[in-house]
Amino acid sequence: MDESKCRHFSLSNPIDDGATDLPRLLRRIADHMEHEGIGPMEVMDLTVSEEMTEHGPWWSATVYWAPGEPAEEGHGT
């Protein structure tokens, strides 16, 4: 029986430091994916949401991925 495993992480900008800066959040998501070695073919879903505050939208994002086989040296991401 083949069991698929799904992992996820969520990030948001600090409420008092750039909460409304969506491009900053997306860069942070990309940086975290690179740091964790999450390849583009492993990503199953990316959700972006906002919560309205008195200062504007507070963005958050969640990435869902299924870890694949390690890439061979010189191949993959």
Side-chain angles (χ1 to χ4, degrees):
M1 179 179 213
D2 182 26
E3 290 187 29
S4 298
K5 295 181 182 182
C6 177
R7 296 183 183 179
H8 75 279
F9 70 89
S10 298
L11 290 177
S12 63
N13 291 330
I15 191 72
D16 59 349
D17 182 20
T20 62
D21 190 347
L22 181 57
R24 176 182 176 192
L25 175 61
L26 295 175
R27 285 189 292 274
R28 291 181 60 224
I29 289 286
D31 289 346
H32 189 76
M33 288 176 62
E34 286 181 343
H35 176 76
E36 294 295 320
I38 301 169
M41 296 306 292
E42 296 172 316
V43 174
M44 299 169 67
D45 193 20
L46 167 67
T47 61
V48 177
S49 353
E50 68 174 334
E51 178 182 332
M52 284 308 281
T53 70
E54 62 188 62
H55 304 291
W58 180 16
W59 294 100
S60 63
T62 302
V63 175
Y64 299 89
W65 84 97
E69 296 295 319
E72 294 180 32
E73 182 117 4
H75 297 93
T77 58

